[in-house]
Amino acid sequence: MLLEGTGMKVSEMLVPTLREIPAEAEVISHQLLLKAGFIRKAAAGVYNLLPLAWRVVRKIEQIIREEMDRQGGQELMMPIVQPAELWRESGRWDVYGPELFRLKDRHGRDFCLGPTHEEIITTLVKGDINSYKQLPLLLYQIQNKYRDERRPRFGLLRGREFIMKDLYSFDYDQAGLDASYNKMYEAYNNVFSRCALDFRPVVADSGAIGGKDTHEFMVLADSGEATIVYCEGNDCSYAANEERAEAVMSGEKEVAPLLELKKIHTPDCRTIADLAAFLKITPERIIKTILYTTEKETIAALVRGDREINEIKLYNTLDCVRLDMANPNTILAVTGAQTGFAGPVKLKSVRMVVDSEVMAMVNAVCGANEADQHLVNVNPGRDFEPDIVTDIRLVKSGEPCPNCGNKLLEARGIEVGQVFKLGDKYSKAMNATFLDENGQARLFIMGCYGIGVTRTMAAAVEQNHDERGIIWPPQIAPYHVAVLPVNHKDEHQFAMAASIYRQLVDAGVEAVFDDRPERAGVKFKDADLVGYPLRITVGAKGLAGGQVELTTRQNGEMKMIPLDGVVDAVKSNLRRLGHTRL
RNA sequence: CGGGAUGUAGCGCAGCUUGGCUAGCGCGCCUGCCUUGGGAGCAGGAGGCCGGGGGUUCGAAUCCCUCCAUCCCGACCA
């Protein structure tokens, strides 16, 4: 491994640990990475990675490289600064929005800092790959990425500058893409397993990047910004981002005589809860009507009163660029009433997108498009005609799994990786073709696959810490072991500690020697905070019996080790903790 | 971008309401002594454009205007 057998004296290292946590840090990974001296902020969402953090990053990168190469990936490096013309060609210069860091050169030409590299790589491959014989092609890089987030937060979990591995696959056809996708899916499982993370691949939405099939790799953590649902069944592997989780229709259409439509007075009933309480009915009997505006039109979205609209599903259904909830003026103009009284009956001027579940409702309640009035005995199909009927609601825990029918559970996740099937979206936009065996030009079928490297480091801290500090898994720990003499003025102790440190480094272990003239407590606290997986403590008591202490950070377990067995003990303990190389 | 809050020493904070001595405290840092198994003790010391600019005033960290930065909630987002 890259850093094998490297060591350092703590007195010479830049590890500025703090006694107090900077007030600006909210989540635990941000707090600990600051406190333990791994990172320092340069600007909002932009960080210095100090030596310890950089070692962790390099280890994660190395694991990624090995797994990419194993699948036939080739590493290259592409520019951060990208010309606008490529982005105009793909159409994303206008679509990407203010999240794209834009700049001009001295001649006034437009550039951007790459948030992702589809345009660059498609252009590169288009120029130099001409034949089907050169496919498939898997190219990747590990590079800084730039996204001018509206609200950078949570330290490295959502920065504006971050390190990302991105791989792009170029295939002859869809079957080739499927194969490349499966390779990457496997590689990602290997990468995150080797990083000792508790993670789960989930079905996801493809967002602005486009394409069809996609999975996100989620590290399970309460601080995660994404909600995922997954099947509780042991035999079922269904797991999806909440944005994409499919709703299962809950049974049969109710059989009941259709009653006569009536308007009733409902003073000040502006919310589903108000209305349910006023009419003494459950929210399931109410139709919720929400108006949205897109860049093209205003639409009405209908779900059952106890459900929430999934805006991602709605957005995908409408095939629009922008989707916002309508403002009160629009609502008034379209429905003729204030917010809170919209309903589908006689709502002629807008398209209606209706959740499938609503179509099964009988004698329901909805707004009358008049102040303080609602309609009862509303029946879809009889009283209003939907324009689109589809699944547009949010799925919650407790609902049935679309795959096996068992119950779904919810969890929070940090997205550390995503794999996409892009198809010909970019090759078509940028006219990137190769010649097939018949001499016919064909579009490359592409996939793209990202891993947030710095985010993975932060996610590892979210999952591996206690009240004392970080607990690095040995595979990605900045160093494996800290050697510390209890009393730096005791020459014998100090010399023995130095000797053990030297033996460890010579044996290929990554070790630090805490030679600082500090009291033992300070060194113990720092070692726990930084999170070295193992600690060798050289003290008077142990040395009297020819022994030193070996402490495991993870569980605090301490063992006495004979002086001549330290290297073996350290190696075997690292292996026991999951390290595979020593 | 909407709402809320905060900017005083490296970090954590007080002082501001009610303007007035040399701007404070804890930690960290430097020197010395002492101590040496979980962030010791004593003594001495360094370190501030009180976020920037403008105003009010005899006088501004404190009041007013403005800009900037940072954080939180929301909206949005590979």
Side-chain angles (χ1 to χ4, degrees):
Chain A
M1 183 109 168
L2 206 59
L3 300 168
E4 204 167 278
T6 50
M8 194 84 191
K9 291 180 183 173
V10 175
S11 65
E12 296 170 354
M13 290 166 63
L14 176 60
V15 187
T17 56
L18 303 172
R19 298 223 174 169
E20 284 168 293
I21 296 164
E24 68 187 33
E26 179 78 358
V27 298
I28 193 72
S29 63
H30 191 194
Q31 293 176 347
L32 287 177
L33 289 170
L34 283 168
K35 189 176 183 210
F38 282 69
I39 63 171
R40 286 293 183 263
K41 185 174 68 178
V46 180
Y47 290 87
N48 294 293
L49 302 177
L50 306 191
L52 289 180
W54 187 240
R55 285 181 71 97
V56 175
V57 165
R58 288 168 72 194
K59 291 195 174 188
I60 295 171
E61 288 181 350
Q62 185 61 21
I63 289 170
I64 292 171
R65 286 195 172 95
E66 289 172 12
E67 295 301 330
M68 293 301 113
D69 293 352
R70 190 206 297 273
Q71 302 293 348
Q74 300 177 65
E75 186 170 2
L76 48 56
M77 197 59 151
M78 294 181 278
I80 292 169
V81 176
Q82 306 184 11
E85 81 188 39
L86 295 185
W87 285 73
R88 293 202 173 98
E89 200 176 334
S90 73
R92 291 207 291 181
W93 184 258
D94 297 319
V95 173
Y96 216 96
E99 219 177 278
L100 191 62
F101 266 111
R102 295 161 205 258
L103 62 152
K104 286 183 189 294
D105 71 8
R106 62 166 67 192
H107 306 291
R109 289 184 289 240
D110 289 317
F111 287 83
C112 65
L113 302 182
T116 175
H117 283 69
E118 282 83 5
E119 283 80 0
I120 287 272
I121 195 136
T122 304
T123 304
L124 175 73
V125 167
K126 169 183 168 179
D128 285 283
I129 300 294
N130 312 306
S131 163
Y132 73 97
K133 294 175 189 169
Q134 296 166 286
L135 300 180
L137 192 59
L138 304 178
L139 300 172
Y140 74 97
Q141 65 168 356
I142 298 175
Q143 171 69 286
N144 279 4
K145 302 281 179 173
Y146 296 84
R147 293 186 193 169
D148 194 358
E149 295 279 350
R150 281 184 182 188
R151 184 143 93 86
R153 57 183 146 176
F154 303 147
L156 295 185
L157 287 174
R158 179 162 295 268
R160 295 195 291 173
E161 177 183 78
F162 52 96
I163 301 172
M164 179 165 151
K165 183 283 305 184
D166 48 327
L167 183 145
Y168 302 89
S169 65
F170 294 84
D171 277 286
Y172 182 95
D173 57 10
Q174 188 63 37
L177 170 59
D178 291 346
S180 293
Y181 187 88
N182 291 338
K183 283 182 184 176
M184 284 300 115
Y185 189 91
E186 182 189 336
Y188 276 39
N189 276 303
N190 292 342
V191 166
F192 297 120
S193 296
R194 287 181 61 186
C195 291
L197 292 166
D198 181 15
F199 70 98
R200 203 176 272 264
V202 304
V203 175
D205 183 73
S206 58
I209 209 159
K212 286 195 305 178
D213 289 350
T214 174
H215 287 83
E216 290 166 339
F217 285 76
M218 295 286 190
V219 167
L220 303 183
D222 291 338
S223 57
E225 294 184 88
T227 300
I228 65 173
V229 299
Y230 60 97
C231 183
E232 66 170 0
N234 287 331
D235 309 329
C236 178
S237 62
Y238 185 78
N241 191 311
E242 176 189 64
E243 296 172 342
R244 253 299 287 276
E246 287 171 54
V248 175
M249 280 289 291
S250 54
E252 308 292 300
K253 178 159 180 156
E254 191 184 336
V255 182
L258 303 190
L259 302 176
E260 188 189 343
L261 187 66
K262 278 198 301 193
K263 189 189 291 182
I264 56 168
H265 185 56
T266 51
D268 283 330
C269 289
R270 289 171 172 274
T271 66
I272 298 289
D274 292 344
L275 188 61
F278 182 78
L279 296 175
K280 298 189 172 55
I281 57 173
T282 56
E284 291 97 90
R285 305 220 52 88
I286 301 171
I287 297 172
K288 189 192 284 186
T289 306
I290 309 275
L291 295 169
Y292 283 89
T293 53
T294 71
E295 74 281 4
K296 293 177 285 205
E297 59 181 339
T298 300
I299 64 103
L302 276 63
V303 293
R304 220 168 69 183
D306 59 323
R307 306 297 195 187
E308 286 173 56
I309 291 176
N310 181 328
E311 293 189 357
I312 300 286
K313 290 180 182 174
L314 184 58
Y315 177 89
N316 289 337
T317 299
L318 292 169
D319 193 27
C320 55
V321 177
R322 296 190 53 229
L323 179 70
D324 300 293
M325 283 181 73
N327 61 41
N329 292 337
T330 307
I331 293 171
L332 186 61
V334 169
T335 69
Q338 299 285 324
T339 309
F341 300 98
V345 179
K346 298 203 177 82
L347 193 62
K348 294 296 180 204
S349 57
V350 298
R351 286 206 296 161
M352 256 180 249
V353 183
V354 180
D355 186 67
S356 311
E357 210 172 40
V358 170
M359 297 308 289
M361 295 172 77
V362 175
N363 299 327
V365 177
C366 71
N369 299 322
E370 278 180 53
D372 299 332
Q373 302 288 332
H374 279 81
L375 299 174
V376 299
N377 301 329
V378 176
N379 287 288
R382 183 190 72 176
D383 300 321
F384 65 91
E385 275 303 326
D387 293 282
I388 300 173
V389 176
T390 186
D391 171 16
I392 56 166
R393 72 179 177 84
L394 207 55
V395 173
K396 290 293 185 184
S397 66
E399 293 194 41
C401 169
N403 194 27
C404 72
N406 272 318
K407 218 192 320 178
L408 290 174
L409 301 176
E410 270 185 32
R412 304 286 287 175
I414 299 165
E415 183 194 338
V416 289
Q418 186 159 18
V419 290
F420 286 99
K421 289 184 186 175
L422 291 172
D424 62 7
K425 180 180 161 111
Y426 292 93
S427 48
K428 197 173 194 171
M430 309 188 77
N431 193 30
T433 61
F434 60 94
L435 295 181
D436 68 12
E437 58 273 56
N438 302 314
Q440 299 296 308
R442 296 174 68 119
L443 294 169
F444 292 104
I445 304 302
M446 294 172 56
C448 76
Y449 317 86
I451 292 178
V453 177
T454 36
R455 183 183 278 185
T456 297
M457 172 166 67
V461 176
E462 291 287 330
Q463 261 184 5
N464 298 285
H465 67 270
D466 61 14
E467 61 289 344
R468 293 177 170 182
I470 304 170
I471 307 172
W472 290 108
Q475 298 90 322
I476 58 171
Y479 289 91
H480 299 134
V481 55
V483 180
L484 54 100
V486 168
N487 184 343
H488 73 96
K489 280 194 176 164
D490 181 326
E491 285 178 22
H492 181 52
Q493 260 181 47
F494 196 84
M496 290 310 294
S499 155
I500 288 166
Y501 160 71
R502 187 39 61 197
Q503 288 171 42
L504 286 166
V505 170
D506 289 347
V509 175
E510 299 164 36
V512 299
F513 175 36
D514 198 343
D515 60 333
R516 294 175 300 170
E518 293 284 354
R519 295 165 58 86
V522 173
K523 298 192 217 181
F524 291 149
K525 291 284 187 196
D526 270 353
D528 287 346
L529 177 60
V530 167
Y532 307 104
L534 298 175
R535 187 181 90 202
I536 300 286
T537 312
V538 182
K541 286 177 243 166
L543 280 184
Q547 293 182 313
V548 295
E549 291 167 25
L550 174 65
T551 310
T552 304
R553 175 69 180 88
Q554 198 178 58
N555 55 16
E557 191 181 288
M558 191 268 280
K559 291 186 274 211
M560 300 306 295
I561 306 290
L563 278 170
D564 59 2
V566 173
V567 170
D568 288 343
V570 165
K571 284 189 171 184
S572 69
N573 273 280
L574 285 171
R575 279 195 294 271
R576 185 173 54 79
L577 290 169
H579 201 285
T580 51
R581 299 301 172 93
L582 285 164

